[in-house]
Structure formats: structure tokens, C-alpha cells
Amino acid sequence: MQAFRNCGLCASGSLLKSRADFLVARRNLAVLRLSAACVQLLKDKANVFCRNPAPQHLLRLPEVARSNRVTFSLASSLCAVPFTQQAENLSHESLIRRASCLVTDSANTYLSQTTLALVDALTQYAKELHTLIALQKRYINSIGKLTPAEEDSIWQVIIEQRVEVSDRLEACKRFESNWMNAINICELSADAAYNSGAEHACTATKTNLQVAQSKVEELRKISKEADKKLAETKAEEIQRMAEFASSISIPDLENEAYLRED
């Protein structure tokens, strides 16, 4: 009886094991079917791309689909390209060329800042000159019409404006000295870039030099014209003062001669 029971238990265990194996096999079969469906979907997509080639700038998916493997030699050659370029970039010529480009960049920055400072200084100088010219003309037109207090007041304003013009002129001289240094540095850096093979950096630096020199020359002409107008105004002031002095002295001399006759 005990042996019969043991046989029954063994049969039940075998039955349960067989059922578990059947479930595992069924699950594996489902996974296999799903994988096959995915592979078929990829093949269909590949066939679609083969019939309608992608643009040049996209990935070449048809070629990848045709060849389901990538050789190790191709992968090795692709990986070797960056290292070859890196070794080439470490040559003396390449390092000198890079250094010359850095020098031209710094020189262009220095030139840009000094040009901006000089242009601003020249602009302010011309502005103060025109203000002084306006004050001088105002005084000329009012000669002989002002009281001593009014004349002293306008002369005080003129003197202050002359001091302002002098300060602006000193600023122009100071910034012009820095600008000339920047011009010399840019010329040297352009030559160095050309000699090292960095033609693009050389061309860009020379272009910046031409632009800076043209802008400064334009402002210099404006300042010179203002200086010329101021000189003309001073000459007119001297002439008007002489005329005013002569117009005052002649009646006085006539009165003095009349009194002597009496």
C-alpha cells in the first residue's frame, strides 16, 4: 500500500514537471514568433528604403540593410582617422600656425578697442570745438553791446570751454598713441600669420586695419575742419575788436582837438 502511494506521488510529480516544461516551451515559441515578426518588419522597411533611396545627407540605411555585418577592418580604419588627424595637428608647423592665429585675434581685439577709444575722443573733441566756435561767434556779434558784467560772464564761459577743448585734445593724443601701437602690432601679426600659412587670418587682419584707418581718417578730417573754423573765428574776433577800438578812439580824438581850438 505504501509503495502504491509512492508511485502515485511520483506520477503526480512527473505530470507537474511535464506541464511546466510545456509552458516554458510555449513561452519560448511565442518569443521566437515575436522575434521573427520584428525581423520581417525590418526587412520590409529595408526593401522600402531600397526602392526609395534616402537623400545624400541622411544615413545610408539601404547599404546597411543589404550588408548585415560590418567588418572589423572597416571599423578599425574609421577609428584610426581621428588619431591620424590629431598626430598631424601636433606638428611644429601646425602649432606655429595656430599660435599665429591666436596672435592675430588678440591684435584685432586690441585694434578694435583702441580704434573705438580714439574715434570717441575725436568725436568729442570736434563737438567741443563747435561749441567753442558758437560761443566765440556769439561774443563777436555782441561786441560793443554788452555791459562789463555781461562781457565778463561770457568770457568766463569761453575760458571754461577752452579748457574743455584742451582736455579733449590731450585725450585724443593719448588714445592716438595706443592706436598707433595697435596698428604696428596688427601689421606684425599679419606678416607672421602669412609666413606661417594662415592666409585667412592675415587677410582678416589687413581688412580690419583698412577699416580702422579709414574711420580714424574720417574723424581726423572733421576735427581739422573744426580747428580751421575756430582759427577763422579768432581772426574775425581780432578784426572786430580792432574795428571797435578804432570806432571809439576817433570820436575821442576829435573831441580833444575841438577843445584845444577853444
Side-chain angles (χ1 to χ4, degrees):
M1 189 68 181
Q2 184 67 28
F4 180 78
R5 288 180 179 178
N6 291 333
C7 289
L9 291 174
C10 291
S12 299
S14 299
L15 182 62
L16 291 174
K17 184 177 180 181
S18 299
R19 183 174 294 179
D21 293 339
F22 174 76
L23 292 176
V24 171
R26 187 174 180 180
R27 184 183 63 184
N28 293 335
L29 182 60
V31 172
L32 182 62
R33 288 176 178 175
L34 181 60
S35 300
C38 293
V39 171
Q40 185 63 34
L41 179 61
L42 291 175
K43 288 182 178 180
D44 294 338
K45 294 293 184 181
N47 291 329
V48 171
F49 280 109
C50 289
R51 288 194 297 269
N52 299 318
Q56 293 294 330
H57 64 278
L58 298 178
L59 294 176
R60 297 181 178 274
L61 186 57
E63 297 177 3
V64 177
R66 293 194 194 100
S67 60
N68 295 325
R69 61 190 180 86
V70 178
T71 59
F72 177 76
S73 60
L74 177 61
S76 300
S77 62
L78 291 176
C79 293
V81 171
F83 295 100
T84 303
Q85 293 178 352
Q86 184 177 5
E88 182 182 356
N89 292 336
L90 291 178
S91 63
H92 292 299
E93 291 79 4
S94 177
L95 293 175
I96 292 174
R97 184 164 55 251
R98 288 185 180 184
S100 66
C101 291
L102 292 176
V103 171
T104 55
D105 290 339
S106 299
N108 288 328
T109 302
Y110 184 41
L111 177 64
S112 176
Q113 294 298 326
T114 54
T115 302
L116 180 62
L118 180 57
V119 166
D120 183 64
L122 290 172
T123 302
Q124 294 298 323
Y125 175 66
K127 180 180 177 181
E128 298 299 337
L129 277 177
H130 285 292
T131 302
L132 180 58
I133 292 170
L135 291 173
Q136 293 282 141
K137 288 184 176 181
R138 180 182 176 185
Y139 172 72
I140 292 171
N141 294 330
S142 60
I143 291 177
K145 303 176 183 179
L146 300 174
T147 63
E150 292 174 343
E151 188 173 355
D152 291 341
S153 178
I154 193 172
W155 265 110
Q156 183 66 30
V157 175
I158 290 174
I159 292 172
E160 292 177 357
Q161 187 61 29
R162 285 179 177 176
V163 172
E164 187 68 22
V165 169
S166 179
D167 292 340
R168 296 296 181 181
L169 181 59
E170 290 298 325
C172 289
K173 293 179 180 180
R174 184 172 65 255
F175 289 127
E176 186 174 7
S177 176
N178 294 329
W179 182 74
M180 290 301 299
N181 291 333
I183 291 293
N184 295 330
I185 291 174
C186 283
E187 290 177 349
L188 292 174
S189 64
D191 292 339
Y194 180 79
N195 293 330
S196 64
E199 290 83 2
H200 179 71
C202 175
T203 303
T205 302
K206 289 185 177 180
T207 302
N208 292 335
L209 279 170
Q210 293 176 357
V211 173
Q213 290 172 342
S214 176
K215 188 63 177 178
V216 170
E217 186 63 26
E218 179 182 355
L219 268 297
R220 280 175 174 172
K221 289 181 180 179
I222 295 176
S223 299
K224 289 180 179 179
E225 290 177 358
D227 286 329
K228 184 178 179 180
K229 290 181 179 180
L230 180 60
E232 293 174 354
T233 304
K234 289 182 178 180
E236 183 180 359
E237 177 186 353
I238 294 173
Q239 183 179 359
R240 290 291 301 274
M241 289 293 295
E243 292 176 355
F244 178 71
S246 62
S247 65
I248 294 177
S249 60
I250 291 175
D252 291 342
L253 292 175
E254 291 178 353
N255 292 332
E256 185 178 356
Y258 177 76
L259 292 174
R260 286 179 182 177
E261 291 179 356
D262 294 340

